[in-house]
């Protein structure tokens, strides 16, 4: 039985609206996927998004470069297998990622790759509304430069500390000697104390300059000037 023309027109109109809605929803989904992809690719560190079994769902450009594979080829791979094949623990021990993934809470691990880079692996679970994990967000950060700067800073401070202790170690025996006037003339003792004090002051100035270069979070210049003035007053008081 043929439908009235009016009903046919209404059905066709409804179908057109449904098709337009589906097309709009598909376009929104494509835009969302493009936004997520571009956002991940814009991150400076390697990022892997996995499901609950550790299978890679998304990988950004840096991750693809780190594993020397295309981002699309990383999808479906095991994140645990990828990381265990490419990295070791910081001390060189084989990486076993299973225990960290099975605990279900955020974690951080210090790693090293085959090229000698120092890495920080961060894992954050992706949780559903009822707090059940549905996968992981894994990021791998290259901290080689930060660790190298930290070691240089510690080494510089160790040398500076040794150099600053040396003049004080020389001044103390001179003061003890001065308690016995017959041993050394007072003027000679004071002259040597002044020389060591000036050396300590000069080394402190060099330490302040070095600390500003080594430690990016050092104090401001006004504090250094006040410290220099106080040190100069102390030195003049010693010599007079």
């Amino acid at each position: 039985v043929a439908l009235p023309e009016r009903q046919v027109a209404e059905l066709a109109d409804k179908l057109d609206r449904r098709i337009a809605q589906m097309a709009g929803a598909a376009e929104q989904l494509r835009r969302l996927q493009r936004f997520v992809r571009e956002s991940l690719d814009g991150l400076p560190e390697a990022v892997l998004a996995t499901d609950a079994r550790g299978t890679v769902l998304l990988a950004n450009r840096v991750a693809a470069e780190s594993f020397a594979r295309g981002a699309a080829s990383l999808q479906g791979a095991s994140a645990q297998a990828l990381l265990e094949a490419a990295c070791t623990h910081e001390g060189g021990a084989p990486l076993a990622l299973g225990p960290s993934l099975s605990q279900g809470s955020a974690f951080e691990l210090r790693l090293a790759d085959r090229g000698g880079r120092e890495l920080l692996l961060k894992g954050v679970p992706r949780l559903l509304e009822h707090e059940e994990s549905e996968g992981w967000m894994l990021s791998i950060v290259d901290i080689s430069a930060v660790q190298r700067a930290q070691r240089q800073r510690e080494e510089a401070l160790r040398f500076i500390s040794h150099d600053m202790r040396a003049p004080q170690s020389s001044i103390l025996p001179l003061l003890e000697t001065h308690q016995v006037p017959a041993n050394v003339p007072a003027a000679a003792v004071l002259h040597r104390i002044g020389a060591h004090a000036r050396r300590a002051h000069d080394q402190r100035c060099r330490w302040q300059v070095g600390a500003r270069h080594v430690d990016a979070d050092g104090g401001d210049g006004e504090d250094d000037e006040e410290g220099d003035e106080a040190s100069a007053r102390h030195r003049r008081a010693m010599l007079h």
Side-chain angles (χ1 to χ4, degrees), residues 93-226:
L95 175 62
L97 198 56
S100 298
L101 294 176
S102 62
Q103 67 182 1
S105 57
F107 66 89
E108 291 186 0
L109 293 175
R110 293 286 186 92
L111 308 177
D113 67 5
R114 305 303 180 186
R117 294 186 306 163
E118 297 177 79
L119 307 173
L120 179 64
L121 171 63
K122 296 182 178 181
V124 179
R126 298 189 297 113
L127 301 177
L128 298 172
E129 293 182 359
H130 49 282
E131 299 299 316
E132 180 182 349
S133 176
E134 66 169 357
W136 291 89
M137 291 296 295
L138 302 173
S139 64
I140 305 114
V141 185
D142 185 353
I143 59 172
S144 301
V146 175
Q147 291 295 95
R148 184 164 55 251
Q150 179 66 21
R151 286 192 293 269
Q152 291 174 347
R153 179 180 183 277
E154 291 173 354
E155 183 178 2
L157 291 177
R158 186 164 57 249
F159 280 116
I160 290 169
S161 177
H162 176 270
D163 288 345
M164 290 186 68
R165 286 197 303 267
Q168 282 81 352
S169 299
S170 301
I171 290 172
L172 291 175
L174 286 173
L175 291 175
E176 294 174 358
T177 302
H178 187 57
Q179 294 175 2
V180 184
N183 290 348
V184 181
V189 173
L190 291 176
H191 175 76
R192 293 174 66 184
I193 290 175
H196 288 304
R198 282 190 293 274
R199 181 184 171 199
H201 175 267
D202 293 341
Q203 288 177 343
R204 179 180 182 274
C205 292
R206 287 197 298 272
W207 175 84
Q208 289 172 339
V209 173
R212 281 194 292 269
H213 288 289
V214 173
D215 188 355
D217 298 324
D220 58 28
E222 294 182 358
D223 292 340
D224 293 340
E225 291 179 2
E226 292 177 0

Side-chain angles (χ1 to χ4, degrees), residues 13-122:
D13 185 54
K14 288 181 180 180
L15 183 59
D16 288 342
R17 287 199 301 269
R18 289 290 182 87
I19 292 174
Q21 290 174 351
M22 291 295 294
E27 178 60 26
Q28 288 181 349
L29 182 59
R30 283 193 293 269
R31 289 180 180 178
L32 178 60
Q33 289 176 334
R34 186 164 57 249
F35 171 76
V36 172
R37 169 64 60 190
E38 292 174 352
S39 298
L40 286 177
D41 284 342
L43 295 175
E45 67 268 8
V47 176
L48 300 174
T50 77
D51 62 14
R53 295 176 296 179
T55 302
V56 176
L57 303 176
L58 287 173
N60 69 345
R61 175 182 52 79
V62 180
E65 294 173 355
S66 299
F67 293 107
R69 296 173 60 172
S73 68
L74 288 176
Q75 295 181 9
S78 167
Q80 180 176 346
L82 288 170
L83 288 166
E84 290 179 351
C87 304
T88 64
H89 280 291
E90 191 175 25
L95 175 62
L97 198 56
S100 298
L101 294 176
S102 62
Q103 67 182 1
S105 57
F107 66 89
E108 291 186 0
L109 293 175
R110 293 286 186 92
L111 308 177
D113 67 5
R114 305 303 180 186
R117 294 186 306 163
E118 297 177 79
L119 307 173
L120 179 64
L121 171 63
K122 296 182 178 181

